[in-house]
């Protein structure tokens, strides 16, 4: 995949109607936005378009639309917040490609900003229906994709519309693609990848692809136990994907063949059961990875493992991290995740964090500003690491 895409700066936007797909899929509670991070992340592109005299038509999805035109998923709350952040009016359309949206789009003056309603109100959106793509395109002269979080989906507003308009990326997509694209295509070495989280199966293809690229692959979190089982250890009540044990054996063999150092936990923090509530008090002890008692469950990496992983990160020049090392939601079980976050923060390296929970962990634990890049796209960043082509990026014009 060619990551060298034209950006908003490569086209003349003055006086043009620019349809800009953003990721305004913000969390809300009782009709209020609980984090406006994604809106803030979209500001550079929107501000550029406004300052360069474009007529800006923004669109996005929010949530999973199950009830037709569910008012709880209206983007009106986003328009209000965006208006505050921009310090100017954001015109809210009552529909997506209906009469109201079209009339308002036609009446825009240079530098005006409007927002279409939730694109997923239209059934054709997730089906990538060309009729919807054409309708969206009919309102604009240029398409800008700045929604990295949905770039792995071929939907009408993320990819389909690019069939009918000149299509370029916004600053957010450009940043994601240039940092992650470079790390994968031409990393400064040593290149260390760290994988964790709950499920091996979700990250199978990532492991396979990363083994082609990295010098060291570190595996922690819940997914490490299937690897430990593949080594012949018993893992007690720990997360285990029995169907993937052979796959893990293959991956260990592949690492050996490629000369990739594969690091697995050498000790683990265990408890009698998963904490309930997840952040509630819990009694734990640390055991060697080959001595997990049958009636216990591994919930974090142990102290020796923390030191081993941190040491491997220390000399790295590129680090990619996806998936927490333990049940970090619980303070007693957050030490492994903190140790890895700290190692990234201390490393003299390009450090990239992808994955929703890993990104949340970095922020929650206070490391966010010491990381080179925290990806805004969980699923999209994983597919990127898998080496897959992202439809929302592939559809944009090459430089
Ligand atoms: P990401 O969103 O960063 O890709 P995942 O969704 O794959 O990460 O996994 C995150 C979850 O994995 C967290 O909720 C965490 O509690 C859980 N987890 C990590 N280690 C373990 C473990 N040893 N046992 C059970 N769950 C774990
Ligand atoms: Mg997750």
């Amino acid at each position: 995949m060619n990551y060298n895409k034209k950006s908003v700066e490569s086209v003349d936007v003055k006086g043009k109607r620019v349809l800009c797909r953003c990721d305004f899929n913000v969390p809300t509670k009782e009709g209020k936005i609980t984090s406006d991070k994604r809106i803030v992340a979209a500001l550079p592109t929107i501000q550029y378009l406004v300052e360069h005299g474009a007529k800006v038509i923004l669109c996005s999805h929010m949530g999973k639309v199950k009830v037709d035109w569910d008012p709880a998923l209206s983007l009106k709350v986003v328009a209000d917040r965006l208006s505050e952040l921009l310090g100017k009016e954001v015109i809210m359309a009552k529909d997506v490609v209906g009469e109201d949206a079209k009339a308002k789009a036609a009446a825009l003056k240079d530098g005006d900003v409007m927002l279409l309603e939730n694109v997923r109100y239209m059934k054709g959106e997730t089906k990538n229906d060309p009729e919807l793509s054409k309708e969206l395109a009919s309102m604009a002269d240029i398409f800008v994709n700045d929604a990295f979080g949905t770039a792995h989906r071929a939907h009408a507003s993320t990819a389909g519309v690019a069939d009918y308009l000149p299509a370029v990326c916004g600053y957010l997509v450009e940043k994601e693609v240039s940092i992650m694209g470079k790390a994968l295509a031409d990393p400064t070495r040593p290149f260390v990848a760290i994988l964790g989280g709950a499920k091996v199966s979700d990250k199978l293809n990532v492991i396979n692809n990363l083994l082609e690229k990295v010098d060291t692959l570190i595996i922690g979190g819940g997914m490490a136990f299937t690897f430990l089982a593949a080594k012949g250890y018993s893992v007690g009540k720990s997360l285990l994907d029995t169907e993937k044990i052979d796959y893990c054996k293959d991956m260990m063999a592949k690492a050996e063949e490629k000369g990739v150092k594969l690091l697995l936990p050498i000790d683990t923090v265990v408890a009698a059961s998963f904490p309930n509530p997840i952040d509630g008090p819990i009694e734990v002890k640390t055991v060697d990875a080959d001595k997990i008692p049958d009636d216990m469950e591994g919930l974090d990496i142990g102290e020796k493992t923390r030191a081993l992983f941190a040491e491997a990160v220390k000399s790295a020049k590129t680090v990619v991290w996806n998936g927490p090392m333990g049940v970090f939601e619980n303070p007693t079980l957050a030490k492994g995740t903190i140790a890895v976050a700290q190692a990234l923060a201390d490393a003299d390296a390009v450090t990239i964090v992808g994955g929703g929970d890993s990104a949340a962990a970095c922020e929650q634990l206070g490391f966010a500003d010491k990381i080179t890049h925290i990806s805004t796209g969980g699923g999209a960043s994983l597919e990127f690491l898998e080496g897959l082509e992202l439809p929302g990026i592939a559809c944009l014009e090459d430089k």
Side-chain angles (χ1 to χ4, degrees), residues 196-200 202-203 220-225 237-239 268-269 274-275 278 297-301 321-330 333 337 353-361 378-379 381-382:
K199 282 196 237 139
V200 187
D202 280 1
K203 297 181 185 176
M223 63 189 288
F225 299 102
K237 295 196 298 175
S238 310
L239 269 188
T268 172
V269 175
F274 198 87
I278 195 162
E297 182 171 355
L299 296 170
D300 192 11
I301 53 174
W321 177 28
N322 180 295
M325 295 294 103
V327 183
F328 74 96
E329 295 91 339
N330 188 300
L333 303 167
T337 303
V353 176
D357 291 290
S358 323
S381 74
L382 260 188

Side-chain angles (χ1 to χ4, degrees), residues 204-277:
L204 285 179
N205 299 324
V206 181
I207 299 171
N208 195 23
N209 189 45
L210 286 176
L211 283 174
E212 306 280 341
K213 321 230 175 228
V214 300
D215 300 294
T216 302
L217 178 62
I218 297 175
I219 296 185
M223 63 189 288
F225 299 102
T226 307
F227 278 90
L228 294 178
K231 281 179 73 165
Y233 299 174
S234 69
V235 297
K237 295 196 298 175
S238 310
L239 269 188
L240 176 63
D241 196 339
T242 42
E243 278 172 25
K244 297 299 181 296
I245 293 177
D246 283 339
Y247 176 84
C248 291
K249 284 184 186 159
D250 291 348
M251 290 301 108
M252 291 195 287
K254 180 170 175 175
E256 180 133 359
E257 187 189 304
K258 297 261 170 199
V260 174
K261 214 194 230 176
L262 179 68
L263 296 182
L264 296 170
I266 50 176
D267 59 351
T268 172
V269 175
V270 296
S273 59
F274 198 87
N276 181 24

Side-chain angles (χ1 to χ4, degrees), residues 81 118 152 215 248 332 376:
R81 182 68 190 126
N118 191 338
H152 58 313
D215 300 294
C248 291
T332 309
T376 53

Side-chain angles (χ1 to χ4, degrees), residues 177-196:
V177 170
S178 67
I179 295 179
M180 286 205 280
K182 159 130 189 15
L184 289 178
D186 179 25
T188 313
R189 292 184 184 277
F191 179 11
V192 176
I194 309 163
L195 292 178

Side-chain angles (χ1 to χ4, degrees), residues 1 26 43 49 65 72 90 103 114 127 135-137 141 144 155 187 200 203 206 227 229 252 312 350 386 389 391:
M1 177 166 160
V26 292
L43 289 176
L49 292 171
V65 178
V90 173
M114 75 176 279
K127 292 185 189 135
E135 291 278 340
L136 284 165
D141 308 301
V144 173
H155 291 172
V200 187
K203 297 181 185 176
V206 181
F227 278 90
M252 291 195 287
V350 173
E386 282 181 48
E389 187 174 276

Side-chain angles (χ1 to χ4, degrees), residues 26-238:
V26 292
T28 59
K29 202 173 177 183
E30 284 154 14
K32 296 222 160 60
I33 295 170
T34 52
S35 165
D36 65 358
K37 221 178 64 186
R38 286 179 166 162
I39 306 177
V40 172
L43 289 176
T45 301
I46 300 170
Q47 268 154 348
Y48 176 90
L49 292 171
V50 169
E51 279 159 22
H52 288 78
K55 301 176 169 87
V56 187
I57 306 167
L58 304 171
C59 70
S60 175
H61 80 284
M62 186 164 90
K64 292 197 168 78
V65 178
K66 294 197 179 111
V67 180
D68 278 358
W69 296 84
D70 182 354
L73 297 177
S74 166
L75 285 173
K76 177 75 172 61
V77 281
V78 172
D80 292 344
R81 182 68 190 126
L82 180 61
S83 170
E84 281 168 23
L85 290 166
L86 285 173
K88 69 185 273 130
E89 189 195 1
V90 173
I91 302 159
M92 186 66 209
K94 290 197 187 75
D95 46 31
V96 185
V97 289
E99 260 175 46
D100 189 65
K102 283 184 179 163
K104 282 174 176 156
L108 291 175
K109 293 191 224 36
D110 294 0
D112 279 355
V113 178
M114 75 176 279
L115 175 59
L116 304 180
E117 256 304 358
N118 191 338
V119 281
R120 290 203 190 159
Y121 282 165
M122 304 302 293
K123 298 229 160 56
E125 166 65 1
T126 54
K127 292 185 189 135
N128 196 7
D129 181 350
E131 289 311 312
L132 178 58
S133 301
K134 272 187 226 167
E135 291 278 340
L136 284 165
S138 74
M139 287 193 274
D141 308 301
I142 296 166
F143 172 61
V144 173
N145 189 8
D146 207 22
F148 184 74
T150 47
H152 58 313
R153 311 251 185 250
H155 291 172
S157 74
T158 62
V161 63
D163 288 344
Y164 307 100
L165 287 176
V168 300
C169 64
Y171 289 114
L172 187 59
V173 163
E174 184 178 44
K175 186 174 163 215
E176 294 272 6
V177 170
S178 67
I179 295 179
M180 286 205 280
K182 159 130 189 15
L184 289 178
D186 179 25
T188 313
R189 292 184 184 277
F191 179 11
V192 176
I194 309 163
L195 292 178
K199 282 196 237 139
V200 187
S201 49
D202 280 1
K203 297 181 185 176
L204 285 179
N205 299 324
V206 181
I207 299 171
N208 195 23
N209 189 45
L210 286 176
L211 283 174
E212 306 280 341
K213 321 230 175 228
V214 300
D215 300 294
T216 302
L217 178 62
I218 297 175
I219 296 185
M223 63 189 288
F225 299 102
T226 307
F227 278 90
L228 294 178
K231 281 179 73 165
Y233 299 174
S234 69
V235 297
K237 295 196 298 175
S238 310

